[in-house]
Amino acid sequence: SVLYTVILSIIIFGDRLLSHQYIAVALVMAGIIFLSITKNSGKAMISEGVLPAFAVSLLWGLTFFLWKIPVNIIGPAMTSFIIESGIVLWAAIALKGRISNIGRRSWYFMAFYGTAIAAGSVSYSLSLSLSPLSVVAPIAFSSILVYTVLARIFYKERLRFHQYISSLLILAGIIVLVA
């Protein structure tokens, strides 16, 4: 997603990166790609779900690229409000008639999740109003680093050596990008 978003922001919005920022974007992208490689029977291969994930990557890249347009027109707060309201509306339509089957614990989880998503939406929108998309996107898309750490801690997933290296590449990319 970061590649599509950065390319589109350079072409369409005229964003300009400094040479060290191009290197930083490349480090983040390399880390993200390297995280998706697994070893099976001693042979490196792409994880099973990676190919469909490329379609998701393209769509998210387009989504986060287009996000800047309403931020520039109506501001970060209103953009986030409209986007999140639309998501809630679609969820309500999808859950119509099934809401009574949802337990209390699930409601708490969904409330926490919704709050976290809304906070992320507002943060992303605010970032877009303050910095170029080509700088904000690589940092936002490096959230895979957070997922990796959380999966290790909460799901006890075992990380391989290349995943630690990938995480360091993403972290280095973020540091270089903001330097």
Side-chain angles (χ1 to χ4, degrees):
S1 297
V2 67
L3 176 64
Y4 310 124
T5 304
V6 170
I7 289 172
L8 287 171
S9 69
I10 290 170
I11 293 170
I12 306 296
F13 295 137
D15 284 359
R16 299 283 178 244
L17 294 176
L18 302 172
S19 57
H20 77 279
Q21 291 174 318
Y22 281 108
I23 293 168
V25 170
L27 285 171
V28 170
M29 288 178 7
I32 292 169
I33 291 168
F34 203 43
L35 268 174
S36 66
I37 296 173
T38 61
K39 267 188 158 182
N40 193 2
S41 304
K43 195 175 177 184
M45 58 190 298
I46 295 175
S47 301
E48 211 174 295
V50 169
L51 295 179
F54 277 114
V56 172
S57 175
L58 179 61
L59 293 171
W60 276 121
L62 184 60
T63 298
F64 285 106
F65 163 74
L66 293 172
W67 198 303
K68 186 167 177 80
I69 296 169
V71 166
N72 287 342
I73 296 169
I74 61 176
M78 189 55 79
T79 298
S80 295
F81 177 76
I82 290 171
I83 289 171
E84 297 308 321
S85 297
I87 292 170
V88 169
L89 179 63
W90 280 107
I93 292 169
L95 290 173
K96 186 179 179 185
R98 293 185 282 177
I99 291 179
S100 61
N101 297 337
I102 298 173
R104 179 179 288 226
R105 185 169 184 226
S106 294
W107 279 111
Y108 289 137
F109 173 76
M110 287 188 294
F112 172 75
Y113 184 73
T115 303
I117 292 285
S121 173
V122 170
S123 298
Y124 185 75
S125 295
L126 183 60
S127 296
L128 288 178
S129 71
L130 300 172
S131 298
L133 175 62
S134 54
V135 172
V136 172
I139 295 169
F141 289 123
S142 64
S143 59
I144 190 170
L145 182 61
V146 176
Y147 308 151
T148 302
V149 170
L150 292 176
R152 173 74 178 109
I153 293 168
F154 292 105
Y155 297 129
K156 309 294 183 221
E157 289 186 8
R158 194 170 153 261
L159 299 179
R160 294 189 168 95
F161 179 73
H162 78 277
Q163 291 170 312
Y164 286 108
I165 298 299
S166 299
S167 298
L168 289 175
L169 285 172
I170 293 168
L171 191 60
I174 293 169
I175 291 168
V176 171
L177 191 62
V178 298

